[in-house]
Every structure is written in C-alpha cells, then in structure tokens.
Amino acid sequence: MIETKLRVIPFSPPDITDMEIEEVTKALKSGWITTGYRTKEFEKRIADYVGTNKAICLNSATAAMELTLRILGIGPGDEVITSAYTYTASASVIEHVGAKIILVDTAPDSFEMDYSKLAAAITEKTKAIIPVDIAGKMCDYDTLYEIVESKRDLFYPKNEIQRIYNRVIIMADAAHSFGGERKGMKSGQVADFTCFSFHAVKNLTTAEGEQLYGVMTVM
Ligand SMILES: Cc1ncc(COP(=O)(O)O)c(C=O)c1O
C-alpha cells in the first residue's frame, strides 16, 4: 500500500476573529441568507471606504469584470488590452464577451505592463484597457490616462455609454488591491471601473461560494 503524506504549506490563511464568526451566526439566525440587506450595507460601506459613488456586489471579480465589459457594449470586432502577467480571468473575460485579447508584456524587472509599449498597442478597435494591480500595488494610472488621452482621436464610440467616455475605458483588475493606495488615492477611486476580488486568499475575504466576493465600483 502506498502511503501518501500531505505536507500543508500555509497559503494566505484567513484572519477570522470572533467578530466575523458572530456576524455569520447572526446572518444564519436572521432567516435571510441570500443576497439582501446585508449585501446592500456591504456595498454602501465598500463605496464609502473606497471613496467612489457606487459599488455593486457579484459572485466574483471575474463576473464583475465580464459584466463591466458587457455594460460597456464591448464584444466581437473590439480589442481589449491587458497585461501578459496576470491571473487568467483578466484575459478570459475579454474572450467571454467575444472581443480580441491584446497582451502587452511586462516592463523589465516589473510585474506591471510596459507602459512604453501600450500606446502602440492601441488601435481604432481598442475599447478598454485592463491594468492589473499585481500583489496589491496599484498601477501607474496617471501614465495610463495620459496614454489613452493621447489616443483619443483613434476612439470610435459604438454606443451611448462609450460616447460618454469618448476614449478608451480603463477597468482596473484590482483583485489584489483592495485597501491599496497610490498618491493618496485609494484603489477603486482612480480607474473608470474597478473590480475587486473577495476570494479566500485576498486582502478582504467573504470566503468562497455563492455569496458576494467581487465588487465593481463606478466613478
Ligand atoms: C489578478 C486577478 N484577477 C482576477 C482574479 C479573479 O478573482 P475571482 O476569483 O474573485 O473571480 C484573480 C483571482 O485570483 C486574480 O488574482
């Protein structure tokens, strides 16, 4: 008989205190365990904390990112740029809506997209850029906005919401960066749309399962 020995290496163990356990117990006793007033309260608190006008809870960051692309009417014939170094969801949501994935490589010695290569990747088909705040470090959104502004003449809005922006839209994959800050601005306060993940290994977790753990904030 082959004996399998499992050595467990802790990977981001959750920080759960009695306070969280009490809240879960209250929810279980409340008779309302699906999306409801607690979710609405959570959305409000997230928006207040981040400093944005609206936060919406979904079942994952992946769903939040796909929904954002769909709200923007992005689909077949469009291109969306993201970073080559990331989790699959940053790119797969582009495929899910039928748009073309354009990858920009990371800069040397960096986990961030090479901004010097970004302008050249923007075409008249580009509708959005998905920068990824790897390991919680917010991307250089000043440079990202400078680049999309410089390419405004290439942007052809396909619908009303795209006309409002009239430039390539920036949707942050902020799965890692809830609570992060750059130049005094919080993650969720800078990009046009921001999607957080509350998966079990993230900065703030609601655990896995059907309950909320993805958030889209809208500036
Ligand atoms: C960079 C990045 N984007 C997106 C996601 C997807 O998050 P979720 O599992 O909430 O869909 C993850 C999850 O690990 C991630 O690391």
Side-chain angles (χ1 to χ4, degrees), residues 33-80:
I33 56 168
T34 187
T35 308
Y37 68 95
R38 279 174 179 268
T39 315
K40 294 291 142 204
E41 174 65 19
F42 187 60
E43 288 173 343
K44 196 185 166 309
R45 287 203 195 181
I46 294 284
D48 290 349
Y49 171 75
V50 158
T52 190
N53 60 3
K54 189 109 186 131
I56 313 287
C57 286
L58 294 147
N59 68 324
S60 62
T62 307
M65 291 196 288
E66 181 177 331
L67 182 66
T68 308
L69 295 179
R70 291 194 186 278
I71 287 169
L72 293 168
I74 295 172
D78 297 328
E79 294 177 356
V80 177

Side-chain angles (χ1 to χ4, degrees), residues 113-175:
M113 181 188 288
D114 190 341
Y115 303 117
S116 70
K117 292 194 179 138
L118 181 58
I122 297 176
T123 71
E124 65 283 354
K125 292 182 179 172
T126 311
K127 289 288 178 283
I129 297 174
I130 309 178
V132 187
D133 297 339
I134 291 287
K137 180 172 178 277
M138 284 175 69
C139 293
D140 181 351
Y141 289 93
D142 296 334
T143 299
L144 284 161
Y145 276 108
E146 267 168 35
I147 294 168
V148 295
E149 283 298 336
S150 73
K151 291 282 174 174
R152 239 180 215 274
D153 55 330
L154 281 184
F155 189 78
Y156 296 102
K158 285 209 311 196
N159 53 38
E160 263 321 296
I161 188 162
Q162 291 183 10
R163 226 180 307 281
I164 292 168
Y165 290 90
N166 214 27
R167 57 156 169 74
V168 171
I169 290 144
I170 299 183
M171 177 183 89
D173 178 340

Side-chain angles (χ1 to χ4, degrees), residues 59-65 85-90 132-135 173-176 195-202 208 213-214:
N59 68 324
S60 62
T62 307
M65 291 196 288
Y85 181 73
T86 182
Y87 178 69
T88 46
S90 327
V132 187
D133 297 339
I134 291 287
D173 178 340
H176 301 183
C195 300
F196 297 118
S197 172
F198 298 146
H199 172 265
V201 300
K202 300 302 190 292
E208 212 160 13
Y213 71 103

